């Protein structure tokens, strides 16, 4: 009801009159009881008015007091750590840092004690909780388990630090102090999340200063810690086009920038926009900032908002001598020359991200997930929350004319398409598994899309889309099923796997399992491996239209199961963890080696058995987003070798033949894009194709590498990998068994491996090598003749190897078999 000025005044007059006449009786607070009922069965108790409104007293809370009383010993231990620097290091930066820590922590301890005292709270005495002893009680020294949760050093760690010196001291001091500072930031975060806490203005300002100051010092210490590493990748100079580089056992043979139309010429590196500085106007009304010709970027403040992911390079696919590189903006098609060098053929602009691509015959399939994606590939995006012009799902292009691809089909999906996997394809139909990771669309935009509603099994979550594409009429492509591959086997409950959350103390906060990020299919073995946010799974895909989960695993160190790769014979799966989502620095010296890493599983009797972890050994800087990402098998016969992207951690090539002890055998890395900003950049994918390794660099372009011989990889092994038959096709998340021709160099690759591992007697290996060299000469003559004696010699070597029980029996068997094949070629 609304009142006019007149009616309001009239109402007030009536009210005053009633009070004056006694019609409304007044009462004091003492006349009306205020009670607290208590729990059922308990007596109620009276409250004063002051007690009743105490909940509204926001000056400070019990959590605030507890925070201050725990932070005092926490800060005190930082002083103890800093005191140990004197006489134990020659690093001036650490001496300076320790002096700053002692000064700031002492000042803050004084502030916290005064804050507690001014509010009538008990104040811990100086020195309590330094970490030399453990104890109990809120006022006394903190228990060691509590200290560990707060990032404080244990008694053993303090003793070790006190006994160390030089580089050993520097490394341990920085490691402990980084964790100590991170503990303080965590304590602030936990306090702010508690209702009614940190309302006191002085306390809130103090907690903000702790977060800002200690985060800044964490970054400084992380850089110092990385520079203690002897690995040349640990301190590369920054730059968009001229960053420092480090390379081992590889040769970079080509580098291409992003094509015209696929980068912003005003901001090619994707730097965060600069904040507009406030300046005083001159007398004529202009200001000095108008003339930017001499303006330096030194001291420039940058916006916290990152550049929009409009032009980021993403995944790659290959067929014959062609490569197609996906991009948030569309895709680019390249010709590959005889040496693997790429030349741009055409660029297709069709924004919508993520832009992952696959090729089947003359059709190209592309994933689209962003809300800006349009049915017509338009550049203008979409402003409306609900629009029939929006496209999220799979696009299908006819690429029979590589210079003019044509969009010929679309499949709209409820969660868009982040990635997809071609499970089968022939002249009639293509079957694709679609993985959507985005929010579920409103049913008003796409009929049949439902979110997670209690008791409603129609939800688009917990599913994989199975899409069928008729080759003759791709416009009729459609979703034929959305199987609930995460359902509980007994109850049928859709959310049957990891619910989300941590796995206990000192474990990762793992995403809930309601989608797969990647599903890698191995059609010949009727297997698929899914990296499904909170779980790793394997599927039986004997019926491609009805995948069935046969095993699933969790890992307490995994934050987000991202991708999966089989080895060549399908007996292992390498899963990756995209801790931090790919946009965070997760390869710093202080980061755990089992977080943001690979986990290697053997497949034993249809079950996944964990064997080991692998993470790049070189520490990266705060300005480098780094975590495990996409890679592929390098087809060296007899070995499991993986070429892998690590974003701005570069490319690392690892050998996981021994699943429990993977080792790095080659790498390439660049410094960060910018020395001050963390820019999303680095390798999205690094894939082996026809003897070369191709890397899509998100912000810079495209790189091509070849392997070089080393103690880890012989010339024969590299040559054998180049001969591997990949079927002239490579799609992400689709694997086929690679085969090798019966060539002497392939047999010599096995000989080199057995020699390296001392798997056979040296005399026997020398004799086999000599025979293979003769066979190679014979086979490579333009007009060769058959040689019965050489064939018999090869057969004799083969027979001698059969039944061997020493060394690597599997490799000996493979060598024996290929010797027989070569003998057959020689005698034919």
């Amino acid at each position: 009801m609304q009142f006019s000025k007149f009616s309001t005044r009239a109402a007030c007059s009536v009210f005053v009159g009633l009070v004056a006449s006694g019609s409304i009786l007044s009462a004091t607070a003492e006349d009306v009881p205020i009670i607290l009922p208590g729990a059922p069965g308990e007596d109620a108790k009276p409250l004063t008015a002051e007690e009743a409104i105490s909940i509204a007293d926001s000056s400070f809370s019990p959590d605030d007091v507890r925070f201050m009383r725990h932070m005092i010993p926490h800060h005190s231990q930082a002083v103890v750590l800093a005191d140990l620097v004197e006489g134990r290091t020659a690093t001036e930066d650490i001496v300076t840092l320790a002096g700053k820590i002692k000064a700031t922590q002492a000042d803050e301890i004084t502030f916290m004690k005064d804050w507690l005292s001014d509010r009538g709270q008990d104040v811990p005495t100086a020195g309590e909780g330094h970490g030399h002893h453990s104890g109990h009680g809120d006022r006394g020294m903190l228990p060691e388990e509590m200290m560990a949760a707060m990032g404080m050093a244990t008694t053993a760690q303090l003793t070790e630090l006190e006994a160390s010196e030089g580089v050993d001291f520097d490394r341990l001091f920085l490691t402990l102090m980084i964790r100590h500072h991170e503990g303080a930031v965590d304590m602030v975060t936990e306090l702010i999340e508690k209702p009614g806490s940190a309302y006191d203005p002085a306390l809130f300002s103090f907690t903000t200063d702790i977060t800002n100051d200690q985060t800044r010092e964490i970054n400084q210490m992380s850089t110092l810690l990385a520079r203690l590493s002897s690995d040349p990748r640990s301190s590369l100079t920054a730059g968009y086009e001229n960053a420092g580089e480090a390379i081992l056992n590889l040769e970079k043979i080509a580098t291409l920038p992003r094509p015209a139309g696929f980068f912003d010429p005003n901001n090619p590196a994707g730097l965060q926009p600069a904040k507009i500085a406030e300046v005083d106007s001159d007398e004529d009304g202009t200001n000095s900032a108008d003339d930017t010709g001499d303006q330096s970027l030194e001291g420039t403040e940058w916006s916290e908002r990152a550049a929009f992911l409009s032009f980021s390079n993403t995944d790659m696919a290959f067929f014959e001598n062609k490569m197609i590189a996906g991009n948030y903006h569309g895709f680019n098609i390249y010709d590959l020359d005889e040496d693997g060098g790429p030349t741009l053929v055409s660029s297709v602009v069709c924004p919508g991200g993520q832009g992952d691509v696959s090729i089947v015959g003359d059709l190209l399939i592309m994933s689209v997930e962003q809300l800006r994606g349009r049915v017509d590939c338009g550049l203008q995006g979409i402003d409306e929350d609900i629009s029939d012009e929006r496209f999220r799902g799979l696009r299908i292009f006819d690429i029979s004319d590589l210079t003019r691809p044509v969009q010929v089909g679309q499949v709209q999906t409820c969660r868009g398409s982040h990635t997809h996997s071609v499970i089968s394809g022939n002249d009639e139909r293509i079957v694709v598994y679609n993985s959507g990771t985005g929010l579920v669309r409103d049913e008003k935009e796409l009929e049949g899309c439902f979110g997670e509603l209690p008791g409603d099994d129609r939800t688009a979550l917990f599913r994989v889309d199975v899409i069928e594409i008729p080759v003759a009429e791709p416009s009729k492509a459609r979703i034929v099923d959305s199987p609930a591959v995460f359902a509980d086997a007994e109850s049928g409950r859709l959310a049957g796997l990891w619910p989300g959350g941590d796995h206990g103390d000192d474990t990762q906060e793992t995403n809930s399992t309601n989608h797969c990020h990647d599903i890698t299919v191995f059609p010949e073995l009727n297997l698929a491996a899914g990296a499904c946010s909170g779980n790793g799974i394997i599927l039986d895909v004997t019926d491609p239209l009805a995948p069935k989960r046969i095993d699933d695993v969790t890992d307490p160190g995994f934050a987000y199961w991202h991708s999966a790769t089989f080895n060549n014979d399908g007996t292992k799966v390498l899963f990756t963890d995209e801790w931090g989502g790919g946009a965070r620095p997760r390869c710093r010296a202080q980061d755990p080696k089992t977080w943001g890493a690979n986990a290697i599983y053997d497949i034993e009797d249809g079950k996944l058995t964990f064997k080991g972890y692998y993470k790049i050994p070189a520490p990266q800087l705060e300005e480098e987003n780094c975590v495990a990402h996409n890679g592929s098998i390098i087809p060296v016969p007899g070995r499991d070798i993986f070429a892998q992207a690590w974003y701005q951690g570069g490319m690392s090539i690892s050998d996981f033949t021994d699943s429990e002890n993977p080792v790095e055998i080659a790498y390439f890395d660049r410094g960060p894009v910018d020395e001050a900003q963390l820019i999303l950049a680095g390798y999205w994918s690094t894939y082996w194709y026809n003897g070369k390794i191709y890397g899509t660099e998100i912000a810079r372009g495209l790189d091509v590498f070849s392997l070089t011989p080393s103690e880890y990889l012989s010339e024969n092994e590299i040559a054998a990998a180049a001969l591997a038959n990949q079927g002239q096709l490579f799609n992400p998340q689709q694997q086929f068994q690679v085969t090798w021709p019966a060539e002497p160099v392939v047999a010599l690759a096995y000989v080199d491996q057995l020699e390296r591992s001392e798997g056979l007697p040296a005399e026997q290996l020398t004799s086999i090598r000599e025979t293979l060299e003769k066979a190679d000469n014979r086979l490579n003559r333009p007009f060769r003749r058959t040689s019965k004696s050489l064939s018999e010699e090869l057969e004799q070597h083969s027979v001698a190897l059969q039944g061997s029980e020493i060394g690597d029996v599997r490799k000996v068997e493979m060598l024996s078999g290929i010797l027989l094949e070569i003998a057959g070629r020689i005698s034919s």
Side-chain angles (χ1 to χ4, degrees), residues 695-768:
T696 40
E697 218 287 357
I698 296 170
R700 292 181 172 105
L702 178 69
D703 292 313
V704 188
F705 299 90
S706 59
L707 291 163
T708 59
S710 68
E711 62 181 303
Y712 303 106
L713 206 57
S714 70
E715 188 173 350
N716 290 319
E717 289 174 298
I718 296 171
L723 290 176
N725 178 13
Q726 289 184 274
Q728 292 296 293
L729 176 71
F730 179 93
N731 284 322
Q733 296 150 226
Q734 183 185 42
Q735 286 186 249
F736 300 99
Q737 276 193 309
V738 170
T739 59
W740 294 267
E743 291 288 344
V745 72
V746 177
L748 286 167
Y750 286 115
V751 171
D752 290 346
Q753 293 167 22
L754 291 165
E755 185 176 58
R756 189 183 295 122
S757 65
E758 299 180 351
L760 286 174
E763 299 82 2
Q764 186 178 10
L765 290 172
T766 299
S767 179
I768 295 172

Side-chain angles (χ1 to χ4, degrees), residues 375 382 386-391 412 445:
V375 170
I382 294 176
I386 297 172
S387 171
D388 57 9
E389 295 179 327
R390 176 173 287 116
F391 180 77
Q412 296 270 18
E445 181 171 275

Side-chain angles (χ1 to χ4, degrees), residues 442-488:
D442 194 304
E443 195 193 14
K444 294 177 184 177
E445 181 171 275
L446 185 63
E447 185 179 356
C449 293
F450 299 93
E452 189 171 9
L453 302 174
D456 191 342
D457 287 349
R458 296 175 300 170
T459 175
L461 305 178
F462 314 108
R463 301 180 183 279
V464 171
D465 297 323
V466 180
I467 294 173
E468 185 178 69
I469 304 173
V471 173
E473 297 183 88
S475 62
K476 294 184 178 180
R478 64 192 179 94
I479 297 174
V480 295
D481 198 4
S482 295
V485 294
F486 311 131
D488 181 84

Side-chain angles (χ1 to χ4, degrees), residues 458-665:
R458 296 175 300 170
T459 175
L461 305 178
F462 314 108
R463 301 180 183 279
V464 171
D465 297 323
V466 180
I467 294 173
E468 185 178 69
I469 304 173
V471 173
E473 297 183 88
S475 62
K476 294 184 178 180
R478 64 192 179 94
I479 297 174
V480 295
D481 198 4
S482 295
V485 294
F486 311 131
D488 181 84
E490 295 182 3
S491 67
R493 184 171 58 91
L494 296 183
L497 295 181
W498 184 252
D502 64 39
H503 304 256
D505 293 340
D506 300 320
T507 62
Q508 277 278 28
E509 185 80 16
T510 305
N511 282 57
S512 63
T513 302
N514 63 36
H515 66 271
C516 287
H517 183 281
D518 282 5
I519 301 173
T520 297
V521 298
F522 206 139
E524 292 160 287
L525 300 181
N526 293 323
L527 276 180
C532 302
S533 56
N535 287 88
I537 68 173
I538 51 175
L539 301 165
D540 180 344
V541 293
T542 304
D543 179 355
L545 300 180
K548 298 179 180 178
R549 188 178 86 246
I550 55 178
D551 196 25
D552 54 83
V553 291
T554 58
D555 190 298
F558 265 42
Y560 185 77
W561 295 70
H562 176 275
S563 57
T565 305
F566 291 97
N567 66 341
N568 185 55
D569 58 9
T571 59
K572 302 177 184 179
V573 183
L574 185 154
F575 290 103
T576 69
D577 170 27
E578 196 180 37
W579 173 33
R584 304 286 294 279
R586 290 295 186 247
C587 304
R588 302 165 299 177
Q590 70 268 30
D591 289 326
K593 294 301 181 185
T594 57
W595 291 18
N598 301 336
I600 301 161
Y601 287 79
D602 285 0
I603 302 176
E604 300 173 345
D605 298 324
K607 299 295 183 182
L608 292 166
T609 303
F610 173 77
K611 293 296 181 179
Y613 292 109
Y614 173 79
K615 188 174 184 178
I616 56 172
Q620 304 292 300
L621 303 177
E622 290 283 345
E623 296 74 32
E624 295 176 295
N625 57 305
C626 177
V627 75
H629 212 232
N630 296 343
S632 75
I633 298 296
I634 296 178
V636 175
R639 297 175 69 179
D640 298 326
I641 297 178
F642 192 53
Q644 182 176 9
W646 291 81
Y647 289 108
Q648 284 199 82
M651 172 174 63
S652 176
I653 298 178
S654 60
D655 181 345
F656 66 104
T657 307
D658 180 351
S659 303
E660 296 180 0
N661 299 288
V663 296
E664 185 175 57
I665 63 174

Side-chain angles (χ1 to χ4, degrees), residues 6 8 47 88 141 153 159 207 379 446 493 560 632 722 730 790 805 808:
F6 175 80
T8 302
L47 295 176
R88 292 179 173 84
M141 293 168 285
T159 300
T207 58
L379 307 182
L446 185 63
R493 184 171 58 91
Y560 185 77
S632 75
F730 179 93
L790 182 54
E805 296 183 0
D808 188 327

